Amino acid sequence: MNGQPSYPAVPPSLLANLNPEQLAAVTLPPEPALILAGAGSGKTRVLTTRIAWLLQTGQVGPGGLMAVTFTNKAAKEMVTRLSTMLPYNVRGMWIGTFHGLCNRFLRAHWKIANLPQTFQILDSGDTLSAVKRVIKALKLDEERFVPKQMTWAIAGAKEEGKRPHDLPQHDGQARTLVEIYQAYEDQCQREGVVDFAELMLRSYELLRDHPEIREHYQRRFQHILVDEFQDTNRLQYLWLKMLAGPPDGAHSAALFAVGDDDQSIYAFRGAQVGNMSDFEREYRVRHLIKLERNYRSFGNILDSANALIAHNSRRLGKNLHTEAGPGEPIRVYEATSDYAEAQWLLDEAQQLHRSGTARSEVAVLYRSNAQSRVIESALFNAGVPYRVYGGLRFFERAEIKHALAYLRLIENPNDDTSFLRVVNFPARGIGARSVEQLQDAARSSGRSLNQSVGAVGGAAGAKLASFQRLIDDLRERTRGATLREIIERMLDASGLVTFYRTEKEGQDRIENLEELVTAAEAFVTQEGFGKDVIALPVDETAPGTIAAPLPGEPEAVARVDLLPDAETGEILSPLAAFLTHAALEAGDNQAQAGQDAVQLMTVHAAKGLEFDAVFITGLEEGLFPHENSLTSVSAQGADGLEEERRLMYVAITRARQRLYLSFSQTRMLHGQTRYHIKSRFIEELPETALKWISPKNQGFGSGFETSYQQAWQRGSGMGSMVGAGRHAGWSPPPAPPPSWAAPVPAAMRQAAAKDNGHGLRQGQSVFHNKFGEGVILTLEGSGTDARAQVNFGRHGAKWLALSVAKLTPIE
DNA sequence: ACACCAAAAATTTTT
DNA sequence: TTTTTGGTGT
């Protein structure tokens, strides 16, 4: 690193044990840098150590740098690690998610941003209902303008940095979209709410349109560090550029972008891997460092990951290596059915457990959520504790959303989304008719529902007025109360708890509502309400310290995401702050924590995690790679298949010690038995790293277990499975059959063994010279007329005349 | 307002 | 097959 200035010595412990590339990245000069950090290469360590190094060498004060992540989890981890490395309270630093930081920014500059100070944030559900209302108000056909698609289009436009007038209006459809977008925007503005994309967009526009604020922040932040840069969308990159300043600007911040193009799996929701190369070009990045040494996995696992990802074309190029040995071979299992696959997985998982692997160190990954059920069923029946990720999150539960709606109305009675959610929940005799009347009145006067209550007469008007009084009373009586008191009073006065007490399944919901009180309490403590604002030590003598703050803006406060008003220093009420928190951090997924349980999740959900043992299941053409991905060469020009392959790469690199791959010849999907061939991704792995496990007697009938009943309700605790006799399916001949499988009905055996003179049967794997490996879906006709429908995976399902086509049975 | 039934859809998802 | 959605009937 030529010309790198020298800085005061830092404790040797800080930089000790970094490898040369990590050290180089950590100690780069304040210039644009791109760090290509492979899976398990110590990415988070590099990020946090660089921040600590910058601070400890006095190159920057705690207010002069910003670190951005995507998830709250990643942000929290960074803060936690930093607090062990630094002698100060790092909580006031600008470390957070894109949305969290934009929220903080807009809270400080709400006036210039043209927002009410207590603006609330819509989650995706709120956004959808808001758009539905817009479509209804515009009297548009929901068939032609599907609300979900409209929210998608609006968010998509915002993430491109576009307002309604920036969109094309070439045809009627496009013009109506613009109309919906505009009306939605007006409605949000009227109600004082913003959606997730709006947080980013408004924050970006504020910087773009107000040079004095832009320059202030550009002077202030000398270092901006970005995690998971490959996942940024267009708007996020624009925002970063706005904050950092132009490449050659006098006060431009050093952008330190960390990412891995091979782990880009979110193109489908707008991520632009291209931002990496754009950044490299636009900022003339001179420091490109590849972290390729992996500290997580054994050689066989890494060899497989490398071999697989080498099949992708558009790559920045990177190869993982390790100094650990090759480790265990990767075990590959071909099952005859999804059922058998789950059974095998169960056996292997139990084996792992017996040999000392903690259950929580075993992960079962699948491409799509629907695949979890068979596995759950096998684990459940064997009494193996497991945990499924991906359910509803705490703040997304219906009862919690209802409670939050009441709280939001206390804070802002003009929040129509919340008004509509609870005006008749619990039921208080305000039906659709009355609500419609109210909406009409509101629409014609351009006011909120709450403001229009007086315009509705008769019995309906009286009931509405009484609801209004309920909220107003609540607001009055809780003025100055603690957050806990507010929530408890609301739960009581709203009738929510009373309502759920009469419900038969209401007990869980009441418990969740109690949990809400606990969450609020924790939030108050954590955010330091009732405590003095804590200022961070700032070294004024150090080179390049923080520029003067805006008037009234403290350098750092204890309340992490709630910067006071830039002019008045006013801080949000605990209630408004808690509501913001609830929207930005939807909380944990259900799933009982605590117990040592096998972890079940989609590959997407596994990103960023690691486990001693990983099972990747359902490796079949059509499932993984998913059939929809093959045809989707998405708008951005990203290749669907390549993204699937990166997904597989992410999955493989989650494993530390052992990796298991499995696929099944048949699988119940959408109520039908489907025949699949093994995923091309398996064939892209080095044969030398694999060890094929096959059931011994794969006799006839292979692939013919079909449906079995599933009698327990997901998530509703331990029910009981339907008795074995109810299972309609066939058990795999490789005995001993599992105790819970039914005997094979004789008639079905016949069907399975049916062959039409060509030595072929349904479900049989076959080879075709042109189309390769396939599975027979159906057999029809006989003699010269005999034909078969064969699923060739990537070539699709084809009908073949057996008198012509040469099909060789496999094994 | 609520219960019931039929029809349609069923990658991946954080904020 | 399961889940969600919408429509109809009471």
Side-chain angles (χ1 to χ4, degrees), chain A residues 476-720:
Chain A
E476 285 307 314
R477 287 191 296 140
T478 56
R479 183 152 294 157
T482 65
L483 187 52
R484 179 194 199 102
E485 288 163 351
I486 299 175
I487 296 178
E488 281 171 345
R489 285 204 170 199
M490 176 276 297
L491 289 178
D492 184 47
S494 64
L496 279 177
V497 172
T498 319
F499 172 82
Y500 285 123
R501 255 203 282 274
T502 64
E503 285 268 286
K504 38 188 187 301
E505 311 250 327
Q507 195 45 45
D508 283 352
R509 298 190 185 268
I510 290 177
E511 278 168 24
N512 285 328
L513 289 173
E514 283 161 2
E515 187 61 33
L516 180 66
V517 178
T518 313
E521 201 76 334
F523 173 77
V524 165
T525 318
Q526 191 194 331
E527 295 297 319
F529 281 101
K531 292 185 190 147
D532 289 337
V533 167
I534 303 161
L536 297 179
V538 175
D539 188 355
E540 299 289 345
T541 60
T545 317
I546 315 155
L550 286 183
E553 182 191 67
E555 276 311 330
V557 290
R559 279 154 233 188
V560 176
D561 283 317
L562 305 163
L563 203 65
D565 177 343
E567 282 162 46
T568 66
E570 191 182 347
I571 293 172
L572 234 47
S573 74
L575 176 54
F578 180 62
L579 292 172
T580 300
H581 164 82
L584 282 177
E585 223 173 311
D588 277 345
N589 287 327
Q590 56 190 15
Q592 331 68 321
Q595 206 183 13
D596 181 36
V598 174
Q599 312 281 302
L600 272 62
M601 67 192 84
T602 64
V603 181
H604 282 93
K607 192 178 170 203
L609 305 177
E610 54 182 276
F611 305 90
D612 284 346
V614 169
F615 291 83
I616 309 176
T617 63
L619 281 166
E620 295 142 38
E621 284 293 309
L623 254 188
F624 197 2
H626 197 277
E627 50 202 355
N628 295 0
S629 74
L630 300 179
T631 47
S632 82
V633 175
S634 86
Q636 283 76 35
D639 184 328
L641 178 62
E642 296 216 342
E643 178 144 322
E644 294 288 305
R645 193 175 280 113
R646 291 193 292 268
L647 203 45
M648 180 67 182
Y649 176 80
V650 167
I652 293 174
T653 53
R654 296 310 95 197
R656 292 195 196 101
Q657 292 160 17
R658 284 168 182 270
L659 179 64
Y660 299 82
L661 310 178
S662 62
F663 62 99
S664 169
Q665 297 163 355
T666 67
R667 181 175 297 276
M668 282 299 280
L669 213 60
H670 310 331
Q672 281 184 320
T673 306
R674 304 228 325 210
Y675 303 88
H676 287 140
I677 61 169
K678 67 169 172 287
S679 170
R680 70 191 75 189
F681 294 155
I682 292 183
E683 325 222 24
E684 293 173 0
L685 305 179
E687 198 59 44
T688 52
L690 308 183
K691 180 177 180 185
W692 286 78
I693 314 292
S694 293
K696 276 161 197 101
N697 310 305
Q698 238 178 337
F700 78 90
S702 67
F704 281 90
E705 307 84 44
T706 49
S707 69
Y708 50 90
Q709 302 277 316
Q710 192 139 358
W712 91 109
Q713 294 276 311
R714 195 169 173 192
S716 73
M718 303 271 132
S720 64

Side-chain angles (χ1 to χ4, degrees), chain A residues 314-606:
Chain A
R314 284 178 296 244
R315 294 180 63 213
L316 294 174
K318 193 168 42 42
N319 228 24
L320 296 175
H321 59 88
T322 179
E323 289 180 11
E328 292 285 316
I330 289 155
R331 295 158 82 86
V332 188
Y333 181 74
E334 172 173 12
T336 53
S337 70
D338 48 354
Y339 184 83
E341 180 189 36
Q343 197 57 42
W344 165 79
L345 183 151
L346 167 67
D347 292 344
E348 293 285 357
Q350 293 288 60
Q351 190 88 40
L352 284 168
H353 186 61
R354 279 194 295 274
S355 59
T357 307
R359 291 232 147 94
S360 57
E361 279 301 335
V362 176
V364 180
L365 310 186
Y366 33 81
R367 176 66 238 268
S368 58
N369 286 304
Q371 290 166 247
S372 73
R373 334 214 79 180
V374 196
I375 298 160
E376 280 186 69
S377 137
L379 293 171
F380 177 85
N381 280 20
V384 176
Y386 63 88
R387 191 178 155 176
V388 188
Y389 284 75
L392 269 190
R393 280 139 21 130
F394 182 71
F395 286 112
E396 288 169 351
R397 290 157 189 259
E399 63 275 19
I400 300 298
K401 294 278 292 179
H402 284 129
L404 291 175
Y406 278 103
L407 296 174
R408 275 160 65 153
L409 286 174
I410 293 176
E411 193 61 41
N412 171 14
N414 299 327
D415 180 342
D416 287 357
T417 304
S418 299
F419 191 101
L420 287 171
R421 176 182 280 274
V422 293
V423 65
N424 197 36
F425 192 94
R428 38 177 83 85
I430 302 174
R433 185 62 66 75
S434 315
V435 172
E436 203 118 315
Q437 250 181 295
L438 180 64
Q439 281 181 297
D440 284 341
R443 209 169 296 147
S444 57
S445 61
R447 317 179 68 161
S448 72
L449 297 173
N450 177 66
Q451 287 163 332
S452 311
V453 166
V456 180
K463 282 176 182 163
L464 285 168
S466 125
F467 172 70
Q468 191 177 42
R469 219 172 308 119
L470 169 76
I471 302 293
D472 288 344
D473 282 354
L474 212 42
R475 185 181 309 110
E476 285 307 314
R477 287 191 296 140
T478 56
R479 183 152 294 157
T482 65
L483 187 52
R484 179 194 199 102
E485 288 163 351
I486 299 175
I487 296 178
E488 281 171 345
R489 285 204 170 199
M490 176 276 297
L491 289 178
D492 184 47
S494 64
L496 279 177
V497 172
T498 319
F499 172 82
Y500 285 123
R501 255 203 282 274
T502 64
E503 285 268 286
K504 38 188 187 301
E505 311 250 327
Q507 195 45 45
D508 283 352
R509 298 190 185 268
I510 290 177
E511 278 168 24
N512 285 328
L513 289 173
E514 283 161 2
E515 187 61 33
L516 180 66
V517 178
T518 313
E521 201 76 334
F523 173 77
V524 165
T525 318
Q526 191 194 331
E527 295 297 319
F529 281 101
K531 292 185 190 147
D532 289 337
V533 167
I534 303 161
L536 297 179
V538 175
D539 188 355
E540 299 289 345
T541 60
T545 317
I546 315 155
L550 286 183
E553 182 191 67
E555 276 311 330
V557 290
R559 279 154 233 188
V560 176
D561 283 317
L562 305 163
L563 203 65
D565 177 343
E567 282 162 46
T568 66
E570 191 182 347
I571 293 172
L572 234 47
S573 74
L575 176 54
F578 180 62
L579 292 172
T580 300
H581 164 82
L584 282 177
E585 223 173 311
D588 277 345
N589 287 327
Q590 56 190 15
Q592 331 68 321
Q595 206 183 13
D596 181 36
V598 174
Q599 312 281 302
L600 272 62
M601 67 192 84
T602 64
V603 181
H604 282 93

Side-chain angles (χ1 to χ4, degrees), chain A residues 289-305:
Chain A
I289 294 178
K290 292 182 185 178
L291 303 181
E292 297 174 294
R293 170 149 178 210
N294 175 291
Y295 294 91
R296 182 184 294 161
S297 317
F298 280 112
N300 280 330
I301 296 171
L302 289 188
D303 290 349
S304 300

